[in-house]
Amino acid sequence: MTWLLAIFQTLLFVALAPLLAGWLKWCKCHLQNRQAPSLLQPYRDLLKLTRKQPVVAEHASWIFTRAPYIIFSAIVLAASIVPLIAVDLPTAAIADVIVLVGFFAFARFFLALAGLDIGTAFGGMGSSREMTISSIAEPAMLMAIFTLTMTASTTNLSFAIVHVLNEGLVLRPSFVFALFALMLVAIAETGRIPVDNPDTHLELTMIHEAMILEYSGRHLALIEWASQVKLMLYGVLIANIFFPWGIAQSFSVQALAYGLLAIIGKLALLAILLSISETLLAKMRLFRVQEYLSFAYLLGLLGMLSHIILEASR
């Protein structure tokens, strides 16, 4: 029963991720006084891409054609270990937050490798920029997560969420620093403004889009879908780790339904906040991204130090 629920939760990630992307686009368009597309438009885009025959470059190797399937599988496996509507599921017990970061790094490695594989200038440029950003983003993310795990004394996400729930509403300086650090990293890792702009194909500003410029058809659909699931993953991490109230601690129908409604509400609110920030901010110049992510690392470090100095000694 619990394994079926874990599989259902993973399928929810895959099914709801395009809806979250559509909601984010809808909010952003309204804030910018533009006509908003339907909330279901991402589903239509994915369906249209899957019906098209992919065009593959003449000199592309197996890496280029297999990378979309590997990337999508890695992100789905990452989704399977993150509690969405309930804790204490078997998939959360067999992998911890270190494995989650490993899945993200594995997907990013193959995405950068596919960008280099076809030998175009844009692909190489995008891969170079992606790996430069990830070399700073991963330590910042680990620092934020280690702050949380030190407080909960575990690297298991499910146990950490239960620990926060049992502690109740307590204002911890380490959590505040870790929250802001993880939010900054999430923006960078998901290619959102001000680090990257997923809606542009300008040569000087592309990062993620440059790596997938040669993809088409079902290959592009898988990569876009994986990107939407990754965005939802970061949203769920922020919502359920730092604001876990509402997540189901039992497997009754009422608790699961309440957990689903709670996470939908929290993700909708996070998408509104992200759309507001993207409306107010402009994309920063590429060499400023290093300062941005260094600040995220500093926030994570301050969170860990504040935990050691102010909280661990109590």
Side-chain angles (χ1 to χ4, degrees), residues 1-6 9 83 85-92 158 247-258:
M1 175 63 184
T2 54
W3 276 102
L4 288 177
L5 184 58
Q9 184 176 260
I85 59 175
V87 293
D88 294 333
L89 291 175
T91 48
S158 186
I247 193 167
Q249 292 184 274
S250 66
F251 298 143
S252 66
V253 177
Q254 292 86 354
L256 294 175
Y258 185 68

Side-chain angles (χ1 to χ4, degrees), residues 13-276:
F13 261 110
V14 178
L16 294 180
L19 184 62
L20 177 64
W23 169 248
L24 178 60
K25 186 77 172 178
W26 190 88
C27 294
K28 195 174 172 182
C29 287
H30 277 280
L31 287 171
Q32 296 174 350
N33 291 323
R34 294 187 289 128
Q35 186 173 2
S38 166
L39 292 177
L40 302 179
Q41 189 59 43
Y43 292 102
R44 295 172 183 159
D45 293 339
L46 292 176
L47 184 62
K48 182 178 69 175
L49 287 172
T50 53
R51 289 174 176 171
K52 290 187 175 181
Q53 182 71 25
V55 178
V56 180
E58 182 181 359
H59 301 292
S61 72
W62 66 270
I63 294 175
F64 185 80
T65 53
R66 298 292 183 272
Y69 302 97
I70 296 172
I71 293 165
F72 186 78
S73 302
I75 295 299
V76 171
L77 286 173
S80 68
I81 63 176
V82 175
L84 177 66
I85 59 175
V87 293
D88 294 333
L89 291 175
T91 48
I94 60 177
D96 62 3
V97 70
I98 308 298
V99 178
L100 177 68
V101 177
F103 279 132
F104 285 152
F106 185 72
R108 184 187 302 109
F109 170 74
F110 270 93
L111 184 61
L113 209 58
L116 292 169
D117 183 66
I118 47 177
T120 63
F122 282 119
M125 179 190 69
S127 299
S128 172
R129 290 176 176 179
E130 177 74 11
M131 298 313 289
T132 302
I133 291 174
S134 67
S135 66
I136 316 172
E138 280 183 9
M141 181 178 180
L142 286 171
M143 188 61 72
I145 288 174
F146 283 151
T147 300
L148 171 73
T149 55
M150 285 180 68
T151 305
S153 302
T154 177
T155 57
N156 185 286
L157 280 171
S158 186
F159 294 158
I161 291 171
V162 172
H163 174 82
V164 176
L165 280 171
N166 292 335
E167 286 285 313
L169 186 60
V170 179
L171 182 60
R172 295 176 179 273
S174 60
F175 266 43
V176 176
F177 284 121
L179 170 61
F180 283 107
L182 190 58
M183 290 177 73
L184 293 179
V185 172
I187 289 173
E189 288 280 66
T190 54
R192 310 299 306 190
I193 294 174
V195 176
D196 193 7
N197 187 353
D199 298 324
T200 183
H201 288 84
L202 294 176
E203 177 185 353
L204 296 178
T205 60
M206 282 193 300
I207 299 176
H208 176 78
E209 294 299 318
M211 290 185 291
I212 64 174
L213 205 58
E214 297 295 325
Y215 276 112
S216 60
R218 61 177 179 274
H219 293 160
L220 181 59
L222 282 173
I223 291 179
E224 293 288 354
W225 204 351
S227 177
Q228 292 166 357
V229 175
K230 188 177 180 181
L231 175 65
M232 184 172 170
L233 266 173
Y234 273 101
V236 171
L237 281 175
I238 292 170
N240 278 348
I241 290 177
F242 297 97
F243 311 98
W245 298 279
I247 193 167
Q249 292 184 274
S250 66
F251 298 143
S252 66
V253 177
Q254 292 86 354
L256 294 175
Y258 185 68
L260 179 59
L261 291 176
I263 190 61
I264 289 175
K266 285 185 278 189
L267 287 177
L269 182 60
L270 281 176
I272 292 173
L273 294 176
L274 180 59
S275 60
I276 293 173

